[in-house]
Amino acid sequence: MSKKSSAENVRWLNPDEERAWRAYRRVMVAVQAATARDLGAVGLSEPDYEVLSTLSERPDHTSTLHEQAAKMRWSRSRLSRHATRMEARGLLRRAPDPADGRGCFLVLTDHGLETLEDAAPAHVTSVRRHFIDRLAPEDLSALERIAEKLEDVED
């Protein structure tokens, strides 16, 4: 199929849809950049914080690499490389997964939990400043409804 014929079959965005899409992208980029900058000031990246906070909520502060990668929508290899860097910093450790010879458990260390506990107040303050406090309760409700509709983008 030529580029021309495939372009003819595209349902292009109308002006209102284009504005909405671009507004969504601007908001995502701006909020993410601001919260990432604030996390960086306390020595963590957004993926670091995601891994640490997720592990902190799990029984025994443990998750399989596969479960964590699925939650973050990362490949196992990408998360494995990131976990290696976090492990070198003492934030987590790996343990063998007897049910999956190729997999492992990611286990939050005491240092990782302390790091998360130290970073959490700054992160929540950042989320409030750059997102929550800028919106009315009805805006937050609308965003929640929208997120539920868009949550599974793989279909």
Side-chain angles (χ1 to χ4, degrees):
M1 183 180 280
S2 72
K3 286 185 180 183
K4 182 172 173 89
S5 61
S6 65
E8 291 170 359
N9 297 326
V10 172
R11 219 177 113 220
W12 296 103
L13 303 180
N14 68 40
D16 291 340
E17 293 166 337
E18 175 98 13
R19 280 192 304 279
W21 172 248
R22 290 180 184 269
Y24 165 77
R25 292 294 304 149
R26 282 192 311 274
V27 167
M28 288 300 301
V29 169
V31 171
Q32 190 171 26
T35 57
R37 182 185 60 243
D38 292 346
L39 270 175
V42 295
L44 292 175
S45 67
E46 287 181 303
D48 291 341
Y49 194 86
E50 178 74 17
V51 171
L52 294 176
S53 64
T54 302
L55 289 176
S56 76
E57 297 165 354
R58 301 283 309 211
D60 300 322
H61 298 156
T62 301
S63 177
T64 67
L65 180 72
H66 177 74
E67 291 169 332
Q68 189 68 36
K71 180 180 185 331
M72 294 178 72
R73 296 185 185 236
W74 280 18
S75 69
R76 285 171 61 158
S77 62
R78 180 180 179 191
L79 179 57
S80 181
R81 287 189 302 275
H82 190 81
T84 297
R85 292 187 295 274
M86 292 181 74
E87 192 172 23
R89 293 163 48 207
L91 299 171
L92 58 82
R93 67 178 174 78
R94 295 176 201 237
D97 181 354
D100 180 358
R102 297 181 333 172
C104 67
F105 289 109
L106 300 179
V107 182
L108 184 63
T109 62
D110 290 341
H111 174 63
L113 184 58
E114 289 170 12
T115 300
L116 176 64
E117 289 171 346
D118 289 345
H123 181 60
V124 170
T125 298
S126 177
V127 169
R128 283 201 162 284
R129 183 173 71 239
H130 301 297
F131 184 71
I132 300 294
D133 291 346
R134 294 173 178 234
L135 302 172
E138 55 273 12
D139 297 330
L140 296 172
S141 295
L143 276 170
E144 194 172 356
R145 285 191 309 279
I146 292 166
E148 287 172 6
K149 291 178 181 182
L150 301 178
E151 198 163 1
D152 189 13
V153 295
E154 308 258 341
D155 55 354

